[in-house]
Amino acid sequence: MKLAKGAVVPQLTERPDGRRTRGITIMGLAVALCAVLGFAGWNLVGLGIGAVPGTAVVCPTVDPVVVGTITVPAGPVAGYCQDRLVNAAHIMNAGRDLGIGTHTQTVGVMTALGESGLRVLDYGDAAGADSRGLFQQRDNGAWGTLADRMDPYVSAQNFFTKLTKVDGWKEMEPTLLAHAVQVNADPGHYAAYWARAEDIVAALTAPTAP
């Protein structure tokens, strides 16, 4: 019988009466435990998985990187590591370059948290199999080309361009404003991500001189 690589192999052990019994060695159990813990650690650290209640996020030790005018730390910030925070910086830069302030930049970060967890996704979901990118923008002509939707900066600029065409956008509740742009099923969907978006934008916004 061919065994999978890393499988725990039952070992034959000798009993005092001369009979043989099967048992799993301590070494086999240790290997299995290490494999499980290693997989869990790879998911939390290697993927930079965001805030999970009761879970301490450990980010890889990396140097800060500069995205536009924003210095992005290793993290975690609000439960997210540098790989996700870089995308938040692109969103903030896109908003700033359109003359949009930090409050509405935060709406953009909140929306991307709710849509993709700040990941540039190359797949859609049940609501839209053709959805792509940070904002899960559809292939309906409103969001540019596939390359545009997969580009964090360009997709964010397209998001903010549509946002500023919403009547009363400066006074709207953040989750309702995001809903008006995204036209998702639940207008309150994004509210759960607002506090984390605020923390991220605050951490990535350079302090101004007094």
Side-chain angles (χ1 to χ4, degrees):
M1 177 179 65
K2 186 176 181 180
L3 296 174
K5 185 177 179 180
V8 178
V9 182
Q11 301 292 318
L12 290 175
T13 57
E14 193 79 23
R15 287 174 42 170
D17 58 5
R19 297 173 59 188
R20 289 184 174 183
T21 61
R22 288 188 177 272
I24 298 177
T25 65
I26 294 175
M27 180 64 73
L29 287 172
V31 170
L33 180 60
C34 288
V36 171
L37 292 177
F39 177 78
W42 178 80
N43 274 278
L44 288 174
V45 178
L47 295 182
I49 285 179
V52 177
T55 301
V57 177
V58 179
C59 297
T61 301
V62 294
D63 293 330
V65 297
V66 177
V67 178
T69 61
I70 298 174
T71 300
V72 183
V77 175
Y80 296 90
C81 298
Q82 190 181 81
D83 59 332
R84 313 287 184 90
L85 299 174
V86 162
N87 290 326
H90 283 302
I91 294 170
M92 293 170 64
N93 285 329
R96 182 207 60 220
D97 292 346
L98 290 172
I100 289 171
T102 55
H103 174 81
T104 307
Q105 292 172 27
T106 307
V107 173
V109 173
M110 173 195 71
T111 305
L113 284 170
E115 290 289 351
S116 67
L118 286 176
R119 294 169 294 171
V120 181
L121 300 179
D122 62 354
Y123 56 87
D125 55 22
D130 59 352
S131 299
R132 296 292 185 275
L134 280 176
F135 296 92
Q136 286 291 275
Q137 294 164 335
R138 302 291 301 276
D139 184 19
N140 56 14
W143 304 106
T145 65
L146 174 61
D148 291 337
R149 292 182 289 142
M150 292 295 291
D151 185 299
Y153 180 87
V154 175
S155 63
Q157 282 213 317
N158 289 335
F159 171 84
F160 287 124
T161 298
K162 183 176 178 181
L163 179 150
T164 56
K165 294 178 181 178
V166 176
D167 289 339
W169 64 272
K170 291 184 179 181
E171 290 78 36
M172 289 180 70
E173 183 181 342
T175 187
L176 297 182
L177 180 54
H179 169 69
V181 178
Q182 298 293 101
V183 196
N184 63 311
D186 177 12
H189 168 70
Y190 304 100
Y193 302 95
W194 178 249
R196 273 178 274 175
E198 286 187 306
D199 289 344
I200 291 170
V201 171
L204 299 183
T205 300
T208 57

